[in-house]
Amino acid sequence: MKKMENNHMQLIDPYNRHLKYLRISITDRCNLRCVYCMPGGGISKLRHEDILTYEEILRLTGIAADLGIDKIRLTGGEPLIRKGICDFIARITALAGIKDVSLTTNGIFLMEKLEKIKSAGMKRINISLDSLKRDRYKKITGLDGLENVLAGIEGARQSGFYPVKINMVVMEGLNDDEVLDFARLSLDHPYHVRFIEYMPIGTTNTDVLLHHVPSSSIKAKLAGLGRMVPIEKDTNDGPAERFRFEGAAGEIGFISPLTHHFCPTCNRLRLTSSGYLRPCLLSDQEEDLRGPMRSGASDRDLRDIFFKAAFNKPCTHHLTAESSTPLSTQMSTIGG
Ligand code: SAM
Ligand code: SF4
């Protein structure tokens, strides 16, 4: 942590990473049961009173904004199933200092909420989709909902959201034969398709044996589709390595937490739905904000907890394909 010239305290960790991006899980509840995210034997839900209220999230986001956080992603669980989400989006996009608010959703309720989300000030959306085959989609998520998701994706594009990102977690033998079909989505439409390496983090359905597919193998499979032209990174870019097929309207990208760590440039903090601040997705170190906040902590006290989390942000994670590091907190509480 450091003082900047404008005398404003900013969140800069001991490795000189400037933390400007807060991912907020607004609920641990979800209408899907994706094999890579939810344990097979059912999930333990947080008690209603243990989930941060919208007011609490707004207060913490305001404090984060004073510390230089300017980019927010709303995630979950499934953010679109929380009551009042559209009004909440309108309030968070209006917070001083917040320049960019985006959403990660499974897309099931996207179509019906699109216009409200747009009017609330949201401009970009990430939609998770792991198969374009109806039966397989149901096998992966537990719900026969592919049509809803596809309608949501198309609707988002037509409503002018940009970019509309499609996130595919690629798993060996389960959906890796579809990577070409997903990449093709970027040819005629301005979709940004992201291939994500599956992370063995132990919150998954143990009935299914899952293996990641290295991004290098996906790239090799895609080579037949055309020349992949690298897209230069800009400062707002996340961890994706980006390409465009020559002449394509959209782009593709690879997020490779296992085979190509992006830890050195990680600028994120995560706020869990239970009100803990998590400096790294893959480390169980967390700082409690909810407890102190509900016991009357001042903004200054809460700000110190943000500093503590920044100070404790690990240099790198140690997850490998073989290690299957179990997280003590469910992915749906953390938000991915
Ligand atoms: N429900 C929303 C959705 O699915 O988009 C938001 C929450 S979800 C936890 C956020 C992201 O985490 C999704 O894109 C999902 O695919 C990803 N994810 C969950 N578990 C994962 C795992 N084990 N490996 C890689 N990505 C994972
Ligand atoms: Fe729900 Fe998203 Fe997890 Fe799937 S990945 S179970 S949609 S939280």
mmCIF file of all heavy atoms in Angstrom, residues 33-83:
data_model
loop_
_atom_site.group_PDB
_atom_site.id
_atom_site.type_symbol
_atom_site.label_atom_id
_atom_site.label_comp_id
_atom_site.label_asym_id
_atom_site.label_seq_id
_atom_site.Cartn_x
_atom_site.Cartn_y
_atom_site.Cartn_z
ATOM 1 N N ARG A 33 -26.480 -26.381 -11.570
ATOM 2 C CA ARG A 33 -25.568 -27.208 -10.772
ATOM 3 C C ARG A 33 -24.426 -27.659 -11.678
ATOM 4 O O ARG A 33 -24.263 -28.849 -11.946
ATOM 5 C CB ARG A 33 -26.317 -28.447 -10.225
ATOM 6 C CG ARG A 33 -27.404 -28.129 -9.207
ATOM 7 C CD ARG A 33 -26.764 -27.713 -7.875
ATOM 8 N NE ARG A 33 -27.756 -27.318 -6.891
ATOM 9 C CZ ARG A 33 -28.224 -26.072 -6.744
ATOM 10 N NH1 ARG A 33 -27.815 -25.107 -7.542
ATOM 11 N NH2 ARG A 33 -29.104 -25.791 -5.801
ATOM 12 N N CYS A 34 -23.639 -26.719 -12.173
ATOM 13 C CA CYS A 34 -22.585 -27.070 -13.124
ATOM 14 C C CYS A 34 -21.597 -28.043 -12.479
ATOM 15 O O CYS A 34 -21.189 -27.841 -11.330
ATOM 16 C CB CYS A 34 -21.858 -25.819 -13.592
ATOM 17 S SG CYS A 34 -22.971 -24.658 -14.397
ATOM 18 N N VAL A 35 -21.227 -29.062 -13.240
ATOM 19 C CA VAL A 35 -20.408 -30.141 -12.661
ATOM 20 C C VAL A 35 -19.079 -29.628 -12.115
ATOM 21 O O VAL A 35 -18.538 -30.190 -11.162
ATOM 22 C CB VAL A 35 -20.105 -31.257 -13.692
ATOM 23 C CG1 VAL A 35 -21.304 -32.128 -13.925
ATOM 24 C CG2 VAL A 35 -19.576 -30.683 -14.999
ATOM 25 N N TYR A 36 -18.550 -28.563 -12.703
ATOM 26 C CA TYR A 36 -17.222 -28.093 -12.280
ATOM 27 C C TYR A 36 -17.305 -27.085 -11.138
ATOM 28 O O TYR A 36 -16.277 -26.618 -10.659
ATOM 29 C CB TYR A 36 -16.485 -27.458 -13.465
ATOM 30 C CG TYR A 36 -17.299 -26.428 -14.229
ATOM 31 C CD1 TYR A 36 -17.509 -25.174 -13.699
ATOM 32 C CD2 TYR A 36 -17.865 -26.734 -15.451
ATOM 33 C CE1 TYR A 36 -18.265 -24.237 -14.366
ATOM 34 C CE2 TYR A 36 -18.609 -25.808 -16.139
ATOM 35 C CZ TYR A 36 -18.807 -24.557 -15.588
ATOM 36 O OH TYR A 36 -19.565 -23.640 -16.247
ATOM 37 N N CYS A 37 -18.502 -26.725 -10.739
ATOM 38 C CA CYS A 37 -18.661 -25.645 -9.764
ATOM 39 C C CYS A 37 -19.329 -26.102 -8.480
ATOM 40 O O CYS A 37 -18.941 -25.698 -7.393
ATOM 41 C CB CYS A 37 -19.465 -24.530 -10.412
ATOM 42 S SG CYS A 37 -19.783 -23.124 -9.343
ATOM 43 N N MET A 38 -20.347 -26.929 -8.614
ATOM 44 C CA MET A 38 -21.129 -27.327 -7.435
ATOM 45 C C MET A 38 -20.828 -28.772 -7.057
ATOM 46 O O MET A 38 -20.778 -29.629 -7.934
ATOM 47 C CB MET A 38 -22.628 -27.231 -7.762
ATOM 48 C CG MET A 38 -23.089 -25.828 -8.024
ATOM 49 S SD MET A 38 -23.596 -25.075 -6.485
ATOM 50 C CE MET A 38 -24.184 -23.494 -7.077
ATOM 51 N N PRO A 39 -20.664 -29.040 -5.780
ATOM 52 C CA PRO A 39 -20.460 -30.431 -5.383
ATOM 53 C C PRO A 39 -21.710 -31.265 -5.653
ATOM 54 O O PRO A 39 -22.830 -30.743 -5.555
ATOM 55 C CB PRO A 39 -20.191 -30.347 -3.877
ATOM 56 C CG PRO A 39 -20.326 -28.927 -3.490
ATOM 57 C CD PRO A 39 -20.727 -28.113 -4.666
ATOM 58 N N GLY A 40 -21.510 -32.544 -6.001
ATOM 59 C CA GLY A 40 -22.631 -33.416 -6.385
ATOM 60 C C GLY A 40 -23.630 -33.631 -5.270
ATOM 61 O O GLY A 40 -24.829 -33.640 -5.476
ATOM 62 N N GLY A 41 -23.153 -33.788 -4.050
ATOM 63 C CA GLY A 41 -24.053 -34.131 -2.955
ATOM 64 C C GLY A 41 -24.827 -32.954 -2.400
ATOM 65 O O GLY A 41 -25.130 -32.926 -1.208
ATOM 66 N N GLY A 42 -25.088 -31.963 -3.218
ATOM 67 C CA GLY A 42 -25.842 -30.796 -2.743
ATOM 68 C C GLY A 42 -24.909 -29.786 -2.095
ATOM 69 O O GLY A 42 -23.784 -30.118 -1.709
ATOM 70 N N ILE A 43 -25.400 -28.558 -1.975
ATOM 71 C CA ILE A 43 -24.546 -27.513 -1.427
ATOM 72 C C ILE A 43 -25.125 -26.998 -0.121
ATOM 73 O O ILE A 43 -26.329 -27.010 0.082
ATOM 74 C CB ILE A 43 -24.408 -26.319 -2.406
ATOM 75 C CG1 ILE A 43 -25.782 -25.921 -2.947
ATOM 76 C CG2 ILE A 43 -23.443 -26.629 -3.508
ATOM 77 C CD1 ILE A 43 -25.816 -24.531 -3.495
ATOM 78 N N SER A 44 -24.230 -26.534 0.722
ATOM 79 C CA SER A 44 -24.728 -25.899 1.939
ATOM 80 C C SER A 44 -24.925 -24.422 1.619
ATOM 81 O O SER A 44 -23.990 -23.747 1.203
ATOM 82 C CB SER A 44 -23.726 -26.080 3.069
ATOM 83 O OG SER A 44 -22.440 -25.734 2.606
ATOM 84 N N LYS A 45 -26.159 -23.964 1.776
ATOM 85 C CA LYS A 45 -26.446 -22.560 1.469
ATOM 86 C C LYS A 45 -26.126 -21.692 2.669
ATOM 87 O O LYS A 45 -26.298 -22.113 3.815
ATOM 88 C CB LYS A 45 -27.932 -22.399 1.156
ATOM 89 C CG LYS A 45 -28.324 -22.951 -0.185
ATOM 90 C CD LYS A 45 -29.768 -22.567 -0.445
ATOM 91 C CE LYS A 45 -30.356 -23.364 -1.577
ATOM 92 N NZ LYS A 45 -31.788 -23.490 -1.500
ATOM 93 N N LEU A 46 -25.723 -20.476 2.386
ATOM 94 C CA LEU A 46 -25.539 -19.506 3.473
ATOM 95 C C LEU A 46 -26.907 -19.191 4.067
ATOM 96 O O LEU A 46 -27.922 -19.218 3.354
ATOM 97 C CB LEU A 46 -24.948 -18.213 2.921
ATOM 98 C CG LEU A 46 -23.505 -18.263 2.414
ATOM 99 C CD1 LEU A 46 -23.163 -16.950 1.702
ATOM 100 C CD2 LEU A 46 -22.552 -18.485 3.576
ATOM 101 N N ARG A 47 -26.924 -18.838 5.346
ATOM 102 C CA ARG A 47 -28.181 -18.362 5.925
ATOM 103 C C ARG A 47 -28.469 -16.993 5.319
ATOM 104 O O ARG A 47 -27.539 -16.212 5.053
ATOM 105 C CB ARG A 47 -28.065 -18.238 7.443
ATOM 106 C CG ARG A 47 -27.910 -19.569 8.140
ATOM 107 C CD ARG A 47 -27.831 -19.390 9.626
ATOM 108 N NE ARG A 47 -26.875 -18.352 9.978
ATOM 109 C CZ ARG A 47 -26.795 -17.765 11.172
ATOM 110 N NH1 ARG A 47 -27.613 -18.126 12.133
ATOM 111 N NH2 ARG A 47 -25.902 -16.825 11.426
ATOM 112 N N HIS A 48 -29.732 -16.711 5.139
ATOM 113 C CA HIS A 48 -30.124 -15.446 4.513
ATOM 114 C C HIS A 48 -29.429 -14.260 5.179
ATOM 115 O O HIS A 48 -28.906 -13.362 4.527
ATOM 116 C CB HIS A 48 -31.644 -15.300 4.581
ATOM 117 C CG HIS A 48 -32.145 -14.157 3.769
ATOM 118 N ND1 HIS A 48 -32.086 -14.139 2.390
ATOM 119 C CD2 HIS A 48 -32.667 -12.975 4.149
ATOM 120 C CE1 HIS A 48 -32.556 -12.989 1.963
ATOM 121 N NE2 HIS A 48 -32.923 -12.270 3.010
ATOM 122 N N GLU A 49 -29.393 -14.308 6.525
ATOM 123 C CA GLU A 49 -28.835 -13.159 7.256
ATOM 124 C C GLU A 49 -27.316 -13.073 7.145
ATOM 125 O O GLU A 49 -26.721 -12.071 7.532
ATOM 126 C CB GLU A 49 -29.281 -13.164 8.728
ATOM 127 C CG GLU A 49 -28.868 -14.383 9.533
ATOM 128 C CD GLU A 49 -29.923 -15.497 9.510
ATOM 129 O OE1 GLU A 49 -30.621 -15.660 8.483
ATOM 130 O OE2 GLU A 49 -30.034 -16.217 10.525
ATOM 131 N N ASP A 50 -26.698 -14.129 6.615
ATOM 132 C CA ASP A 50 -25.237 -14.093 6.465
ATOM 133 C C ASP A 50 -24.812 -13.531 5.104
ATOM 134 O O ASP A 50 -23.620 -13.358 4.838
ATOM 135 C CB ASP A 50 -24.649 -15.501 6.647
ATOM 136 C CG ASP A 50 -24.759 -15.949 8.099
ATOM 137 O OD1 ASP A 50 -24.901 -15.074 8.973
ATOM 138 O OD2 ASP A 50 -24.723 -17.167 8.349
ATOM 139 N N ILE A 51 -25.788 -13.288 4.247
ATOM 140 C CA ILE A 51 -25.473 -12.716 2.928
ATOM 141 C C ILE A 51 -25.515 -11.197 3.047
ATOM 142 O O ILE A 51 -26.420 -10.634 3.686
ATOM 143 C CB ILE A 51 -26.507 -13.210 1.888
ATOM 144 C CG1 ILE A 51 -26.403 -14.739 1.751
ATOM 145 C CG2 ILE A 51 -26.309 -12.532 0.539
ATOM 146 C CD1 ILE A 51 -27.441 -15.363 0.854
ATOM 147 N N LEU A 52 -24.556 -10.532 2.448
ATOM 148 C CA LEU A 52 -24.546 -9.061 2.522
ATOM 149 C C LEU A 52 -25.806 -8.493 1.890
ATOM 150 O O LEU A 52 -26.268 -8.975 0.852
ATOM 151 C CB LEU A 52 -23.332 -8.500 1.773
ATOM 152 C CG LEU A 52 -21.941 -8.743 2.361
ATOM 153 C CD1 LEU A 52 -20.897 -7.982 1.554
ATOM 154 C CD2 LEU A 52 -21.868 -8.364 3.837
ATOM 155 N N THR A 53 -26.348 -7.468 2.504
ATOM 156 C CA THR A 53 -27.477 -6.768 1.883
ATOM 157 C C THR A 53 -26.938 -5.871 0.770
ATOM 158 O O THR A 53 -25.734 -5.574 0.725
ATOM 159 C CB THR A 53 -28.205 -5.876 2.914
ATOM 160 O OG1 THR A 53 -27.283 -4.850 3.334
ATOM 161 C CG2 THR A 53 -28.671 -6.671 4.122
ATOM 162 N N TYR A 54 -27.824 -5.392 -0.086
ATOM 163 C CA TYR A 54 -27.383 -4.472 -1.141
ATOM 164 C C TYR A 54 -26.780 -3.208 -0.524
ATOM 165 O O TYR A 54 -25.791 -2.676 -1.012
ATOM 166 C CB TYR A 54 -28.546 -4.105 -2.055
ATOM 167 C CG TYR A 54 -28.952 -5.198 -3.032
ATOM 168 C CD1 TYR A 54 -30.304 -5.424 -3.331
ATOM 169 C CD2 TYR A 54 -27.994 -5.969 -3.682
ATOM 170 C CE1 TYR A 54 -30.679 -6.409 -4.242
ATOM 171 C CE2 TYR A 54 -28.367 -6.962 -4.591
ATOM 172 C CZ TYR A 54 -29.713 -7.172 -4.869
ATOM 173 O OH TYR A 54 -30.078 -8.138 -5.767
ATOM 174 N N GLU A 55 -27.409 -2.730 0.558
ATOM 175 C CA GLU A 55 -26.888 -1.520 1.208
ATOM 176 C C GLU A 55 -25.448 -1.739 1.654
ATOM 177 O O GLU A 55 -24.594 -0.866 1.502
ATOM 178 C CB GLU A 55 -27.744 -1.147 2.433
ATOM 179 C CG GLU A 55 -29.123 -0.613 2.117
ATOM 180 C CD GLU A 55 -29.099 0.605 1.202
ATOM 181 O OE1 GLU A 55 -28.159 1.400 1.284
ATOM 182 O OE2 GLU A 55 -30.039 0.733 0.383
ATOM 183 N N GLU A 56 -25.205 -2.918 2.239
ATOM 184 C CA GLU A 56 -23.846 -3.214 2.722
ATOM 185 C C GLU A 56 -22.858 -3.298 1.558
ATOM 186 O O GLU A 56 -21.733 -2.780 1.645
ATOM 187 C CB GLU A 56 -23.858 -4.525 3.523
ATOM 188 C CG GLU A 56 -24.550 -4.370 4.879
ATOM 189 C CD GLU A 56 -24.756 -5.704 5.608
ATOM 190 O OE1 GLU A 56 -24.898 -6.766 4.939
ATOM 191 O OE2 GLU A 56 -24.803 -5.690 6.844
ATOM 192 N N ILE A 57 -23.292 -3.931 0.473
ATOM 193 C CA ILE A 57 -22.386 -4.044 -0.687
ATOM 194 C C ILE A 57 -22.075 -2.648 -1.226
ATOM 195 O O ILE A 57 -20.932 -2.336 -1.573
ATOM 196 C CB ILE A 57 -23.010 -4.926 -1.798
ATOM 197 C CG1 ILE A 57 -23.236 -6.351 -1.293
ATOM 198 C CG2 ILE A 57 -22.109 -4.944 -3.037
ATOM 199 C CD1 ILE A 57 -23.967 -7.264 -2.274
ATOM 200 N N LEU A 58 -23.098 -1.796 -1.261
ATOM 201 C CA LEU A 58 -22.881 -0.438 -1.798
ATOM 202 C C LEU A 58 -21.932 0.347 -0.897
ATOM 203 O O LEU A 58 -21.055 1.072 -1.380
ATOM 204 C CB LEU A 58 -24.220 0.285 -1.946
ATOM 205 C CG LEU A 58 -25.088 -0.238 -3.096
ATOM 206 C CD1 LEU A 58 -26.530 0.242 -2.964
ATOM 207 C CD2 LEU A 58 -24.520 0.184 -4.448
ATOM 208 N N ARG A 59 -22.093 0.172 0.388
ATOM 209 C CA ARG A 59 -21.180 0.888 1.303
ATOM 210 C C ARG A 59 -19.735 0.431 1.062
ATOM 211 O O ARG A 59 -18.825 1.261 0.937
ATOM 212 C CB ARG A 59 -21.593 0.620 2.759
ATOM 213 C CG ARG A 59 -20.645 1.285 3.732
ATOM 214 C CD ARG A 59 -21.091 1.150 5.173
ATOM 215 N NE ARG A 59 -20.078 1.730 6.051
ATOM 216 C CZ ARG A 59 -19.906 1.425 7.318
ATOM 217 N NH1 ARG A 59 -20.723 0.556 7.895
ATOM 218 N NH2 ARG A 59 -18.952 1.988 8.023
ATOM 219 N N LEU A 60 -19.541 -0.893 0.986
ATOM 220 C CA LEU A 60 -18.181 -1.407 0.809
ATOM 221 C C LEU A 60 -17.614 -1.010 -0.556
ATOM 222 O O LEU A 60 -16.427 -0.693 -0.686
ATOM 223 C CB LEU A 60 -18.174 -2.930 0.966
ATOM 224 C CG LEU A 60 -18.496 -3.436 2.375
ATOM 225 C CD1 LEU A 60 -18.623 -4.948 2.405
ATOM 226 C CD2 LEU A 60 -17.412 -2.973 3.367
ATOM 227 N N THR A 61 -18.479 -0.991 -1.562
ATOM 228 C CA THR A 61 -17.989 -0.616 -2.897
ATOM 229 C C THR A 61 -17.592 0.854 -2.911
ATOM 230 O O THR A 61 -16.596 1.237 -3.548
ATOM 231 C CB THR A 61 -19.076 -0.892 -3.967
ATOM 232 O OG1 THR A 61 -19.532 -2.229 -3.809
ATOM 233 C CG2 THR A 61 -18.524 -0.732 -5.371
ATOM 234 N N GLY A 62 -18.340 1.677 -2.199
ATOM 235 C CA GLY A 62 -17.989 3.101 -2.108
ATOM 236 C C GLY A 62 -16.624 3.281 -1.455
ATOM 237 O O GLY A 62 -15.787 4.070 -1.913
ATOM 238 N N ILE A 63 -16.368 2.499 -0.398
ATOM 239 C CA ILE A 63 -15.065 2.579 0.275
ATOM 240 C C ILE A 63 -13.971 2.108 -0.685
ATOM 241 O O ILE A 63 -12.907 2.734 -0.816
ATOM 242 C CB ILE A 63 -15.086 1.725 1.569
ATOM 243 C CG1 ILE A 63 -16.041 2.363 2.579
ATOM 244 C CG2 ILE A 63 -13.687 1.564 2.150
ATOM 245 C CD1 ILE A 63 -16.359 1.498 3.790
ATOM 246 N N ALA A 64 -14.265 1.008 -1.389
ATOM 247 C CA ALA A 64 -13.272 0.487 -2.348
ATOM 248 C C ALA A 64 -12.976 1.529 -3.429
ATOM 249 O O ALA A 64 -11.825 1.718 -3.836
ATOM 250 C CB ALA A 64 -13.804 -0.808 -2.975
ATOM 251 N N ALA A 65 -14.032 2.218 -3.875
ATOM 252 C CA ALA A 65 -13.834 3.234 -4.928
ATOM 253 C C ALA A 65 -12.927 4.359 -4.432
ATOM 254 O O ALA A 65 -12.078 4.860 -5.179
ATOM 255 C CB ALA A 65 -15.189 3.776 -5.381
ATOM 256 N N ASP A 66 -13.073 4.723 -3.160
ATOM 257 C CA ASP A 66 -12.183 5.754 -2.592
ATOM 258 C C ASP A 66 -10.732 5.290 -2.572
ATOM 259 O O ASP A 66 -9.818 6.110 -2.507
ATOM 260 C CB ASP A 66 -12.590 6.077 -1.147
ATOM 261 C CG ASP A 66 -13.831 6.954 -1.115
ATOM 262 O OD1 ASP A 66 -14.147 7.551 -2.156
ATOM 263 O OD2 ASP A 66 -14.482 7.010 -0.048
ATOM 264 N N LEU A 67 -10.554 3.968 -2.595
ATOM 265 C CA LEU A 67 -9.188 3.426 -2.558
ATOM 266 C C LEU A 67 -8.674 3.099 -3.959
ATOM 267 O O LEU A 67 -7.664 2.406 -4.110
ATOM 268 C CB LEU A 67 -9.168 2.165 -1.683
ATOM 269 C CG LEU A 67 -9.536 2.404 -0.214
ATOM 270 C CD1 LEU A 67 -9.636 1.087 0.541
ATOM 271 C CD2 LEU A 67 -8.514 3.317 0.450
ATOM 272 N N GLY A 68 -9.397 3.535 -4.973
ATOM 273 C CA GLY A 68 -8.890 3.380 -6.337
ATOM 274 C C GLY A 68 -9.504 2.248 -7.139
ATOM 275 O O GLY A 68 -9.188 2.056 -8.305
ATOM 276 N N ILE A 69 -10.404 1.465 -6.509
ATOM 277 C CA ILE A 69 -11.101 0.433 -7.294
ATOM 278 C C ILE A 69 -12.029 1.165 -8.269
ATOM 279 O O ILE A 69 -12.838 2.003 -7.851
ATOM 280 C CB ILE A 69 -11.935 -0.493 -6.374
ATOM 281 C CG1 ILE A 69 -11.055 -1.300 -5.421
ATOM 282 C CG2 ILE A 69 -12.892 -1.375 -7.185
ATOM 283 C CD1 ILE A 69 -10.359 -2.510 -5.979
ATOM 284 N N ASP A 70 -11.914 0.859 -9.568
ATOM 285 C CA ASP A 70 -12.807 1.537 -10.510
ATOM 286 C C ASP A 70 -13.553 0.563 -11.422
ATOM 287 O O ASP A 70 -14.352 0.964 -12.256
ATOM 288 C CB ASP A 70 -12.053 2.591 -11.335
ATOM 289 C CG ASP A 70 -10.904 1.994 -12.130
ATOM 290 O OD1 ASP A 70 -10.832 0.761 -12.230
ATOM 291 O OD2 ASP A 70 -10.095 2.789 -12.650
ATOM 292 N N LYS A 71 -13.253 -0.729 -11.241
ATOM 293 C CA LYS A 71 -13.898 -1.724 -12.092
ATOM 294 C C LYS A 71 -14.561 -2.775 -11.212
ATOM 295 O O LYS A 71 -13.926 -3.284 -10.279
ATOM 296 C CB LYS A 71 -12.795 -2.344 -12.956
ATOM 297 C CG LYS A 71 -13.244 -3.303 -13.984
ATOM 298 C CD LYS A 71 -12.075 -3.716 -14.863
ATOM 299 C CE LYS A 71 -12.439 -4.940 -15.666
ATOM 300 N NZ LYS A 71 -11.331 -5.465 -16.451
ATOM 301 N N ILE A 72 -15.812 -3.053 -11.513
ATOM 302 C CA ILE A 72 -16.592 -3.997 -10.694
ATOM 303 C C ILE A 72 -17.171 -5.081 -11.591
ATOM 304 O O ILE A 72 -17.641 -4.790 -12.693
ATOM 305 C CB ILE A 72 -17.794 -3.265 -10.022
ATOM 306 C CG1 ILE A 72 -17.331 -2.119 -9.124
ATOM 307 C CG2 ILE A 72 -18.702 -4.240 -9.272
ATOM 308 C CD1 ILE A 72 -16.687 -2.540 -7.832
ATOM 309 N N ARG A 73 -17.150 -6.321 -11.105
ATOM 310 C CA ARG A 73 -17.906 -7.373 -11.783
ATOM 311 C C ARG A 73 -18.866 -7.996 -10.786
ATOM 312 O O ARG A 73 -18.465 -8.345 -9.671
ATOM 313 C CB ARG A 73 -16.983 -8.449 -12.359
ATOM 314 C CG ARG A 73 -17.774 -9.636 -12.953
ATOM 315 C CD ARG A 73 -16.899 -10.564 -13.762
ATOM 316 N NE ARG A 73 -16.310 -9.902 -14.894
ATOM 317 C CZ ARG A 73 -16.928 -9.652 -16.054
ATOM 318 N NH1 ARG A 73 -18.184 -10.036 -16.215
ATOM 319 N NH2 ARG A 73 -16.315 -9.028 -17.018
ATOM 320 N N LEU A 74 -20.113 -8.105 -11.170
ATOM 321 C CA LEU A 74 -21.117 -8.756 -10.324
ATOM 322 C C LEU A 74 -21.221 -10.211 -10.754
ATOM 323 O O LEU A 74 -21.387 -10.505 -11.949
ATOM 324 C CB LEU A 74 -22.468 -8.060 -10.475
ATOM 325 C CG LEU A 74 -22.459 -6.561 -10.179
ATOM 326 C CD1 LEU A 74 -23.837 -5.957 -10.398
ATOM 327 C CD2 LEU A 74 -21.979 -6.288 -8.751
ATOM 328 N N THR A 75 -21.131 -11.089 -9.769
ATOM 329 C CA THR A 75 -21.141 -12.507 -10.090
ATOM 330 C C THR A 75 -21.895 -13.230 -8.975
ATOM 331 O O THR A 75 -22.649 -12.620 -8.224
ATOM 332 C CB THR A 75 -19.683 -12.997 -10.324
ATOM 333 O OG1 THR A 75 -19.662 -14.416 -10.399
ATOM 334 C CG2 THR A 75 -18.707 -12.548 -9.253
ATOM 335 N N GLY A 76 -21.750 -14.546 -8.878
ATOM 336 C CA GLY A 76 -22.467 -15.257 -7.837
ATOM 337 C C GLY A 76 -21.829 -16.628 -7.634
ATOM 338 O O GLY A 76 -20.650 -16.809 -7.962
ATOM 339 N N GLY A 77 -22.621 -17.585 -7.317
ATOM 340 C CA GLY A 77 -24.001 -17.864 -7.571
ATOM 341 C C GLY A 77 -24.482 -17.238 -8.875
ATOM 342 O O GLY A 77 -23.690 -16.848 -9.710
ATOM 343 N N GLU A 78 -25.775 -17.197 -9.000
ATOM 344 C CA GLU A 78 -26.319 -16.591 -10.210
ATOM 345 C C GLU A 78 -26.884 -15.213 -9.854
ATOM 346 O O GLU A 78 -27.924 -15.121 -9.182
ATOM 347 C CB GLU A 78 -27.384 -17.521 -10.821
ATOM 348 C CG GLU A 78 -28.132 -16.928 -11.991
ATOM 349 C CD GLU A 78 -27.218 -16.255 -13.032
ATOM 350 O OE1 GLU A 78 -26.125 -16.752 -13.318
ATOM 351 O OE2 GLU A 78 -27.607 -15.188 -13.551
ATOM 352 N N PRO A 79 -26.217 -14.156 -10.281
ATOM 353 C CA PRO A 79 -26.647 -12.815 -9.861
ATOM 354 C C PRO A 79 -28.067 -12.471 -10.298
ATOM 355 O O PRO A 79 -28.760 -11.733 -9.587
ATOM 356 C CB PRO A 79 -25.616 -11.885 -10.530
ATOM 357 C CG PRO A 79 -24.855 -12.709 -11.500
ATOM 358 C CD PRO A 79 -24.980 -14.130 -11.084
ATOM 359 N N LEU A 80 -28.507 -13.015 -11.437
ATOM 360 C CA LEU A 80 -29.831 -12.604 -11.925
ATOM 361 C C LEU A 80 -30.981 -13.237 -11.157
ATOM 362 O O LEU A 80 -32.146 -12.905 -11.418
ATOM 363 C CB LEU A 80 -29.960 -12.880 -13.428
ATOM 364 C CG LEU A 80 -29.011 -12.076 -14.323
ATOM 365 C CD1 LEU A 80 -29.337 -12.300 -15.794
ATOM 366 C CD2 LEU A 80 -29.059 -10.579 -13.998
ATOM 367 N N ILE A 81 -30.682 -14.134 -10.215
ATOM 368 C CA ILE A 81 -31.812 -14.665 -9.440
ATOM 369 C C ILE A 81 -32.013 -13.895 -8.138
ATOM 370 O O ILE A 81 -32.961 -14.158 -7.411
ATOM 371 C CB ILE A 81 -31.719 -16.186 -9.153
ATOM 372 C CG1 ILE A 81 -30.509 -16.527 -8.273
ATOM 373 C CG2 ILE A 81 -31.688 -16.998 -10.424
ATOM 374 C CD1 ILE A 81 -30.507 -17.984 -7.815
ATOM 375 N N ARG A 82 -31.126 -12.939 -7.841
ATOM 376 C CA ARG A 82 -31.354 -12.177 -6.600
ATOM 377 C C ARG A 82 -32.372 -11.072 -6.867
ATOM 378 O O ARG A 82 -32.240 -10.287 -7.817
ATOM 379 C CB ARG A 82 -30.041 -11.579 -6.059
ATOM 380 C CG ARG A 82 -30.284 -10.881 -4.734
ATOM 381 C CD ARG A 82 -29.055 -10.721 -3.894
ATOM 382 N NE ARG A 82 -29.386 -9.926 -2.709
ATOM 383 C CZ ARG A 82 -28.537 -9.549 -1.793
ATOM 384 N NH1 ARG A 82 -27.268 -9.914 -1.890
ATOM 385 N NH2 ARG A 82 -28.917 -8.810 -0.766
ATOM 386 N N LYS A 83 -33.371 -11.039 -5.971
ATOM 387 C CA LYS A 83 -34.441 -10.030 -6.072
ATOM 388 C C LYS A 83 -33.858 -8.618 -6.043
ATOM 389 O O LYS A 83 -32.931 -8.356 -5.269
ATOM 390 C CB LYS A 83 -35.380 -10.198 -4.875
ATOM 391 C CG LYS A 83 -36.830 -10.229 -5.248
ATOM 392 C CD LYS A 83 -37.652 -10.610 -4.043
ATOM 393 C CE LYS A 83 -38.755 -9.597 -3.857
ATOM 394 N NZ LYS A 83 -39.381 -9.686 -2.552
#
